[in-house]
């Protein structure tokens, strides 16, 4: 089976590769750059769900690389308007280059991930069996073909993959504008602060957010538009005519003086400008190709974190691709909505965020006329809307909270029995009860079947979870309760499910009584709830989560044909024909929710003779170590079944 190709080695692409490796899926990461992560003023705010995701895929030092926020303050003029206590829900803030370096370090311990620098994607073709990609080295111009089972474009706002797939990227080019600087300085406060209409002249809004090692990120909201420079342009300026060297130093000095009473000593480390756009790709999937992160959506107004949603894209897509990849070559086939569910869920969640920004901007960013005058004179109206401003910076509420997918666990309604509390297509987990389908489950103490204590979120990311609510379990030894009550029956049900499932036990779960069983997806979203070990109900929930019941023997649900010629790249059985013409225009012939999955079945259907990681029980081995040698000089023979990376056909046809 060919590896999954990930285009782009930013935080989203690296996180997706690590998440797939946790599912025993090999990946090739094609990086247009050289593999370095230079320092920049960009940073990312991590909530509980994204921090947990990064930890379980291998970036274990996220907490030590970040500054922890225990409070958030909103000021207007000389008065504190709002203070939010974050002691129970800490927020992490770290530089983006540290995150990227940490993910790269985590990749060094994974033999299933191969990162290839200096490879720019110039051509993309797909067929029923996989995807072929032509890359060009920007330094010496050499070209190579790569072959993969699926392809995910994580290559940023100017995504080459999105353009090659001819996917529209509509939206608004300039919703919010700001200047950014990172400064090492001692401030008289320790919590992040958003200051609207500060008492010093020249700024409408200034924000200070602490980073590790005594560094602060400072943001200033700029007026709309992009005026022409009125003075000679500083060649080192990041924003000619607006954020030049002199104007930036003046802005930093006046802001620090306003907060400290006098100008303190400071070191200006980096500066940049940022124009927040609002864009949403018309589709997140075309055949075997997907978009994630900035390639699929852009937002950033009101302090929102587009990277956080990109990490959620990776978490949502990884387990789906793993199910499709592992059982592609045999076993029962899943329904087409398994992979369609990624677009349905993630595009719906990001679309809801963009609509929330459109509704809030007239209230929080009045541009002219009476609205701006009223906001400037009346403190009461600002006080009422201050929590919304905090939501964007903290990654909470409608502007950043963990989404819920209540329509159906697969993302496509009608695939699973209706569960109580399921309404709409997307919502926020914090607005729904913990037992509502689609919510992100809370992090609770759990016990594994061997008696090992753990946290629920740390068990995510490998397979489905069956969580039994059994009060008093912690009092007894594992040897006693494993053979008592529902446990023997639940173990049998878990082994018979069409997806790999681990049984866990917890003392209590919000809103659930004793003997309640919860089926949880690998990304932590709740599939459904049953009372007791109801085999048929749990089977129906598992079938719905993986995209529908298995196909009948002798038939499989094949992927919809993709327009265009056969792919020219080498395959697992030898080189492809050399007379293929032009890339297949996949976007002009597939349905809006994507083509159906190509013969991909659930990850490790134990009832059909496969193990929990998807390897066949009859002796097929898991993928072996990564092939890191040079590209073959001629089309090689078929790759061994245990080799995670297929042969690559060099340029020249």
């Amino acid at each position: 089976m060919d590896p999954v190709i990930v285009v782009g080695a930013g935080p989203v692409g690296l996180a997706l590769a690590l998440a797939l490796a946790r599912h025993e899926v090999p990946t090739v990461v094609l990086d247009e750059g050289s593999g370095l992560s230079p320092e920049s003023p960009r940073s990312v705010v991590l909530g509980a769900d994204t921090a947990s995701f990064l930890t379980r895929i291998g970036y274990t030092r996220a907490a030590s690389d970040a500054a922890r926020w225990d409070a958030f303050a909103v000021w207007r003029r000389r008065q504190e308007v709002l203070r939010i206590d974050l002691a129970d829900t800490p927020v992490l803030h770290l530089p983006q280059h540290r995150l990227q370096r940490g993910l790269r370090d985590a990749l060094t311990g994974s033999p299933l991930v191969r990162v290839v620098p200096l490879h720019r994607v110039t051509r993309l073709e797909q067929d029923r069996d996989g995807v072929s990609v032509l890359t060009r080295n920007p330094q010496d111009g050499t070209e190579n073909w790569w072959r993969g089972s699926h392809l995910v474009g994580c290559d940023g706002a100017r995504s080459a993959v999105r353009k090659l797939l001819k996917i529209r990227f509509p939206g608004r080019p300039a919703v919010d504008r700001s200047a950014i600087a990172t400064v090492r300085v001692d401030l008289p406060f320790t919590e992040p602060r958003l200051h609207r209409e500060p008492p010093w002249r020249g700024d409408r809004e200034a924000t200070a957010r602490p980073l590790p090692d005594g560094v602060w990120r400072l943001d200033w909201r700029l007026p709309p538009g992009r005026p022409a420079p009125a003075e000679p342009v500083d060649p080192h300026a990041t924003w000619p005519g607006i954020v030049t060297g002199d104007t930036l130093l003046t802005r930093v000095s006046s802001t620090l003086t306003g907060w400290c009473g006098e100008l303190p000593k400071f070191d200006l480390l980096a500066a940049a400008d940022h124009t927040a756009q609002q864009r949403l790709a018309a589709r997140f999937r075309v055949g075997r190709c997907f978009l994630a992160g900035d390639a699929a959506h852009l937002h950033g107004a009101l302090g929102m974190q587009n990277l956080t949603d990109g990490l959620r894209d990776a978490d949502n897509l990884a387990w789906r691709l793993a199910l499709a990849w592992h059982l592609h070559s045999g076993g029962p086939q899943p329904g087409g909505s398994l992979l369609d569910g990624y677009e349905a869920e993630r595009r719906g969640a990001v679309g809801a965020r963009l609509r929330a920004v459109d509704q809030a901007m007239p209230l929080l960013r009045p541009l002219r006329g009476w609205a701006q005058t009223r906001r400037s004179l009346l403190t009461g109206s600002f006080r009422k809307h201050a929590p919304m401003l905090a939501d964007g910076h903290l990654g909470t509420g409608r502007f950043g909270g963990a989404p819920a997918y209540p329509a159906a666990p697969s993302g496509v309604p009608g695939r699973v029995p209706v569960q109580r509390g399921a309404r709409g297509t997307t919502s926020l987990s914090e607005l729904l009860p913990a037992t509502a389908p689609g919510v992100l489950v809370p992090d609770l103490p759990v016990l594994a079947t061997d008696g090992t204590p753990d946290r629920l979120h740390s068990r995510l990311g490998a397979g489905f979870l069956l969580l039994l609510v059994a009060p008093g379990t912690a009092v007894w030894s594992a040897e006693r309760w494993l053979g008592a009550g529902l446990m023997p029956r639940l173990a049998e049900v878990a082994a018979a499910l069409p997806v790999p499932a681990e049984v866990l036990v917890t003392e209590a779960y919000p809103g659930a009584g004793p003997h309640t069983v919860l089926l949880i997806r690998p990304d932590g979203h709740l599939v459904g709830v049953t009372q007791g070990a109801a085999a048929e109900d749990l089977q129906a929930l598992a079938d719905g989560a993986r995209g529908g019941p298995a196909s009948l023997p002798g038939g499989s649900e094949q992927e919809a044909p993709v327009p265009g010629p056969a792919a020219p790249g080498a395959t697992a059985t030898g080189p492809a024909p050399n007379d293929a013409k032009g890339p297949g225009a996949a976007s002009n012939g597939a349905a809006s929710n994507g083509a159906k999955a190509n013969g991909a079945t659930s990850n490790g259907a134990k009832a059909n003779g496969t193990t929990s990681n998807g390897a066949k029980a009859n002796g097929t081995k898991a993928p072996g170590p990564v092939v890191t040698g040079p590209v073959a000089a001629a089309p090689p023979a078929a790759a061994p079944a245990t080799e995670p990376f297929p042969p690559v056909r060099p340029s020249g046809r």
Side-chain angles (χ1 to χ4, degrees):
M1 185 72 175
D2 296 326
V4 173
I5 297 176
V6 177
V7 180
V12 175
L14 297 176
L16 177 60
L18 285 168
L20 288 171
R22 184 171 169 84
H23 288 282
E24 302 287 341
V25 176
T27 57
V28 173
V29 181
L30 301 178
D31 184 8
E32 182 178 346
S34 60
L36 301 177
S37 302
E39 294 190 11
S40 74
R42 291 185 176 183
S43 62
V44 58
V45 175
L46 300 176
D49 63 319
T50 47
S52 171
F53 169 62
L54 291 173
T55 300
R56 69 175 182 261
I57 63 175
Y59 180 36
T60 56
R61 65 173 193 263
S64 60
D65 280 352
R68 173 172 168 157
W69 297 351
D70 295 320
F72 187 88
V74 180
W75 282 60
R76 182 176 182 268
R77 297 179 181 171
R78 301 180 185 275
Q79 181 181 7
E80 184 178 281
V81 176
L82 175 69
R83 174 172 287 268
I84 300 175
D85 184 8
L86 302 174
D88 296 332
T89 56
V91 173
L92 301 180
H93 185 218
L94 74 160
Q96 186 169 319
H97 62 266
R98 280 199 183 184
L99 170 61
Q100 196 160 344
R101 292 171 185 173
L103 292 172
R104 284 188 176 272
D105 291 344
L107 287 176
T108 59
S110 175
L112 294 176
V113 182
R114 177 185 179 188
V115 181
V116 187
L118 299 176
H119 277 67
R120 179 185 302 162
V121 173
T122 59
R123 188 174 179 182
L124 184 156
E125 301 178 359
Q126 57 177 320
D127 52 43
R128 287 180 177 272
D129 299 320
V131 182
S132 294
V133 174
L134 178 64
T135 60
R136 181 189 299 272
N137 187 312
Q139 293 185 350
D140 57 22
T142 57
E143 294 183 334
N144 290 289
W145 281 101
W146 302 83
R147 182 69 173 172
S149 63
H150 299 83
L151 179 142
V152 186
C154 306
D155 48 342
R158 296 180 175 86
S159 170
V161 172
R162 188 184 64 241
K163 294 174 182 176
L164 291 171
L165 293 173
K166 297 182 174 59
I167 297 177
R168 296 184 302 108
F169 200 37
R172 293 191 286 162
V175 180
D176 215 358
R177 297 171 48 248
S178 59
I180 306 170
T182 49
V183 180
R184 181 173 282 108
V185 64
D186 289 329
L187 293 180
F189 49 87
T190 58
E191 75 281 351
R193 174 180 294 188
L194 186 153
H195 205 147
R196 175 68 68 88
E197 298 176 16
W200 58 88
R201 298 174 61 88
D203 290 327
R204 293 184 177 185
E205 181 179 294
T207 305
R209 294 184 280 183
L211 287 162
D213 305 325
V215 177
W216 290 76
R217 169 172 163 167
L218 307 181
D219 294 66
W220 299 270
R221 183 164 64 92
L222 299 176
R226 193 183 180 94
E231 58 184 22
V233 174
D234 182 351
H236 303 292
T238 58
W239 197 326
I242 298 178
V243 184
T244 61
D246 291 339
T247 59
L248 180 63
L249 286 175
T250 300
R251 193 179 295 271
V252 171
S253 300
S254 62
T255 301
L256 296 180
T257 301
W259 280 330
C260 300
E262 60 181 5
L263 182 62
K265 293 183 178 180
F266 69 91
D267 294 325
L268 179 61
L269 304 179
D273 60 84
H274 177 62
T275 300
Q277 304 184 50
Q278 284 201 175
R279 296 186 181 275
L280 185 64
R283 302 173 66 181
F284 282 19
R285 179 193 180 197
V286 175
R288 290 176 168 269
C289 300
F290 302 82
L291 299 178
D294 289 1
H297 47 76
L298 289 175
H299 60 69
L302 306 177
M304 294 169 61
Q305 302 288 314
N306 197 54
L307 177 53
T308 301
D309 272 319
L311 295 175
R312 290 174 178 143
D313 292 344
D315 199 10
N316 189 290
L317 183 58
W319 69 271
R320 300 175 187 274
L321 283 178
L323 287 178
W325 190 92
H326 275 299
L327 295 176
H328 170 78
S329 58
Q333 308 300 316
S337 65
L338 171 66
L339 297 178
D340 292 343
Y342 167 68
E343 176 179 312
E345 290 184 351
R346 291 305 304 147
R347 191 173 186 276
V350 176
R353 270 197 227 298
L354 297 181
R355 288 191 295 272
V357 173
D358 287 339
Q359 294 167 359
M361 284 295 282
L363 298 173
L364 303 178
R365 295 280 196 266
L367 298 179
R368 59 182 67 86
W370 166 243
Q372 187 172 7
T373 303
R374 179 176 180 272
R375 176 58 46 79
S376 178
L377 295 176
L378 302 179
T379 305
S381 61
F382 175 74
R383 188 185 301 272
K384 182 174 70 173
H385 299 304
M388 284 196 293
L389 279 173
D391 281 342
H393 290 273
L394 295 175
T396 56
R398 295 194 301 162
F399 298 152
Y405 312 116
S410 66
V412 179
R415 287 288 186 180
V416 68
V418 177
Q419 294 277 305
R420 181 178 300 175
R423 299 179 214 161
T425 56
T426 185
S427 182
L428 292 175
S429 291
E430 62 192 62
L431 301 180
L432 296 174
T435 54
V439 302
L440 182 68
V441 296
D443 192 18
L444 305 170
V446 295
L447 288 173
T449 53
D450 60 358
T452 304
D454 207 343
R455 303 291 300 184
L456 178 56
H457 281 192
S458 68
R459 312 295 289 199
L460 298 173
F464 284 71
L465 301 178
L466 277 176
L467 180 64
L468 171 64
V469 181
T473 306
V475 178
W476 306 99
S477 64
E479 292 79 6
R480 179 162 183 173
W481 55 258
L482 272 177
L486 291 176
M487 285 303 298
R489 174 61 176 157
L490 191 58
E492 295 176 0
V493 171
L497 290 180
V499 292
E502 178 187 10
V503 177
L504 299 174
V505 182
T506 186
E507 287 273 335
Y509 185 93
H515 301 158
T516 299
V517 177
L518 303 98
L519 181 62
I520 303 169
R521 298 189 330 194
D523 61 352
H525 289 271
L526 181 63
V527 178
V529 178
T530 67
Q531 190 62 30
E536 292 184 359
D537 291 342
L538 290 171
Q539 176 82 25
L541 290 171
D543 275 335
R546 72 187 189 103
S551 302
L552 295 175
S556 62
E557 193 170 2
Q558 296 295 329
E559 180 137 10
V562 179
T571 66
T573 57
N578 292 331
D579 55 354
K581 300 177 181 179
S587 62
N588 60 4
S592 62
N593 61 356
K596 294 184 177 179
N598 177 18
T601 57
S602 63
N603 181 5
K606 296 182 181 179
N608 294 286
T610 58
T611 60
S612 60
N613 65 359
K616 290 186 178 180
N618 60 6
T620 302
K621 297 181 180 179
V626 172
V627 177
T628 57
V631 173
T642 57
E643 185 179 67
F645 298 104
V648 178
R649 187 167 69 86
S651 60
R653 312 173 69 178

